[in-house]
Amino acid sequence: MAKSNEIDSPQPHGRFQKFVFIVLIPILFIIVVTLVVLTATGTNVFEKAQSLGISIPFTDDKEPASADTEKENTDALKAVIEDQKAEIAQLSSSLEQKTKEVDGLNASMEQQSSEMEELRQTGDESKRSFKEIISTYEAMSAKNAAPVILNMKDDDAVKILSSIKPATLASILEKMPPADAAKYTGLITAEEGGDR
């Protein structure tokens, strides 16, 4: 009879058994019911979890990056940085060279501009000087002007004779020998005909 007392008497439940019956089984039941309801509504819980970025521990396919891989990546990035620094240095020197070329061209343009100004001023002075020479010949007596013109080169003489007033020209030609007067008249006519 001792055996029957042991069977009939309730044995104390352990803490683990209480946890399983009170907490674990109801939670598992709720999870299973939720999965069934969501599947019935057409929602794939596993795809939804992946799209939200929830990852289950120890299921990642990715292997943790090793120190060697990280070192290789770092070395590759350092090499890229060095290449870019070299390219920047090359572009800087090229920019400095182009700047020097531009400065040289600007200096050359300024020099040419000043030379052109000097030539223009010289041309103006030459015109003024020629006008003064013409005025001098017009002021001279024909008797004194004729021998001076006869001793000049033909081009210079024609240039002066074609620029003076017709009345003065007539008096100078009167004081020249007829052959020279005819020669200069022909040269003046030819020059005026060529200018037209």
Side-chain angles (χ1 to χ4, degrees):
M1 262 209 96
K3 280 187 172 181
S4 68
N5 279 344
E6 289 178 13
I7 295 176
D8 289 337
S9 71
Q11 294 195 356
H13 296 288
R15 285 184 182 172
F16 181 71
Q17 285 178 339
K18 285 182 184 178
F19 175 75
V20 168
F21 287 122
I22 294 173
V23 176
L24 192 60
I25 290 177
I27 289 175
L28 288 174
F29 180 74
I30 290 171
I31 291 173
V32 169
V33 169
T34 305
L35 285 174
V36 169
V37 169
L38 289 174
T39 305
T41 61
T43 304
N44 188 342
V45 178
F46 301 107
E47 286 180 5
K48 200 70 158 175
Q50 282 182 344
S51 69
L52 293 175
I54 300 173
S55 62
I56 301 171
F58 306 111
T59 60
D60 280 346
D61 292 339
K62 298 178 184 174
E63 294 180 20
S66 67
D68 291 338
T69 306
E70 288 181 10
K71 186 174 183 343
E72 288 175 4
N73 289 342
T74 303
D75 290 343
L77 289 174
K78 285 181 181 178
V80 168
I81 290 171
E82 291 300 319
D83 288 345
Q84 288 178 346
K85 284 181 180 178
E87 187 176 347
I88 288 171
Q90 181 182 9
L91 290 173
S92 278
S93 66
S94 176
L95 178 64
E96 288 175 9
Q97 182 182 2
K98 296 294 182 188
T99 302
K100 287 179 183 176
E101 287 178 12
V102 167
D103 290 344
L105 289 173
N106 284 339
S108 175
M109 284 175 49
E110 288 176 12
Q111 181 182 2
Q112 289 177 354
S113 177
S114 65
E115 288 175 1
M116 285 177 55
E117 182 64 25
E118 288 175 12
L119 287 173
R120 188 185 60 77
Q121 288 176 354
T122 304
D124 290 346
E125 289 173 4
S126 174
K127 286 179 184 177
R128 193 173 333 122
S129 298
F130 183 72
K131 286 182 180 179
E132 290 173 0
I133 291 171
I134 297 300
S135 298
T136 304
Y137 277 97
E138 287 177 345
M140 288 174 71
S141 67
K143 182 179 175 184
N144 292 333
V148 174
I149 291 176
L150 287 173
N151 288 322
M152 288 183 180
K153 292 181 184 177
D154 287 343
D155 292 340
D156 294 336
V158 169
K159 188 174 179 182
I160 291 171
L161 290 173
S162 62
S163 299
I164 60 176
K165 295 177 186 173
T168 309
L169 175 63
S171 18
I172 292 173
L173 290 176
E174 279 180 8
K175 300 297 179 187
M176 288 184 182
D180 290 330
K183 175 178 90 168
Y184 285 121
T185 303
L187 291 173
I188 291 170
T189 306
E191 182 180 301
E192 288 178 359
D195 287 344
R196 290 181 187 170

